[in-house]
């Protein structure tokens, strides 16, 4: 966190100094979504694939704030070697081993079980009980 935090702070200050100041120093809205929360939101998003809407509810901010924060933190994590390839979908352990073996890389596999609630199976073919029409 210390390494990524300093990179983020430098990047943030560079963005602020790159544009002309419109308010006095110290004026304007204060950050309610601090860097530690931004980093945690990005890591939860990468690890669990949680939607930005859910993360926004957890942290009490807007979805666009989560999207922006993940967009800022993810490249910093990539600089430190923590990446997720968006175009690679590995479904079996054999595919993971083959993918890592292509370049001679080493990988860490997290085998944590994630329970998913599934709705109960529906019985019958109709969603509502069949009723004869009552016309006279």
């Amino acid at each position: 966190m210390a390494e990524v935090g300093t990179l983020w702070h430098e990047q943030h200050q560079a963005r602020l100094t790159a544009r002309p100041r419109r308010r006095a120093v110290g004026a304007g809205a204060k950050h309610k979504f601090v860097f530690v929360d931004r980093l945690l939101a990005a890591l939860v998003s990468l690890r669990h694939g949680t939607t930005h809407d859910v993360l926004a509810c957890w942290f009490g901010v807007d979805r666009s704030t989560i999207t922006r924060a993940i967009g800022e933190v993810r490249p910093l994590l990539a600089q430190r070697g923590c990446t997720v390839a968006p175009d690679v979908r590995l479904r079996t352990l054999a595919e993971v081993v083959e993918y890592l073996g292509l370049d001679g890389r080493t990988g860490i596999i997290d085998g944590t079980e994630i329970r998913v609630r599934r709705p109960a199976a529906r019985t019958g073919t109709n969603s509502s009980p069949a009723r004869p029409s009552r016309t006279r």
Side-chain angles (χ1 to χ4, degrees):
M1 186 180 89
E3 295 173 6
V4 177
T6 56
L7 290 173
W8 179 82
H9 183 69
E10 291 171 3
Q11 186 182 49
H12 182 68
Q13 292 301 321
R15 268 195 312 263
L16 290 177
T17 57
R19 62 178 190 234
R21 181 174 291 281
R22 298 192 312 189
R23 294 187 180 104
V25 175
K30 305 297 181 242
H31 282 290
K32 294 177 184 158
F33 195 52
V34 295
F35 172 72
V36 175
D37 292 339
R38 292 170 184 264
L39 179 62
L40 185 60
L43 292 174
V44 168
S45 174
L46 290 172
R47 169 65 176 87
H48 296 289
T50 311
T51 64
H52 294 188
D53 291 323
V54 170
L55 289 172
C57 288
W58 285 352
F59 288 100
V61 294
D62 192 61
R63 183 188 54 79
S64 62
T65 304
I66 295 290
T67 303
R68 188 175 348 103
I70 291 173
E72 291 173 357
V73 172
R74 194 168 175 176
L76 300 176
L77 291 172
Q79 286 177 2
R80 300 297 310 145
C82 177
T83 59
V84 175
D87 57 339
V88 177
R89 184 74 174 171
L90 306 172
R91 299 180 192 279
T92 65
L93 183 58
E95 290 176 355
V96 172
V97 171
E98 180 183 347
Y99 176 74
L100 292 174
L102 292 175
D103 298 334
R105 291 183 280 178
T106 304
I108 299 173
I109 298 175
D110 181 4
T112 306
E113 179 183 358
I114 299 174
R115 294 186 178 257
V116 178
R117 282 193 186 174
R118 303 212 189 280
R122 298 173 88 176
T123 57
T125 56
N126 292 338
S127 60
S128 63
R131 293 186 183 174
S133 65
R134 298 180 185 228
T135 57
R136 288 190 176 197

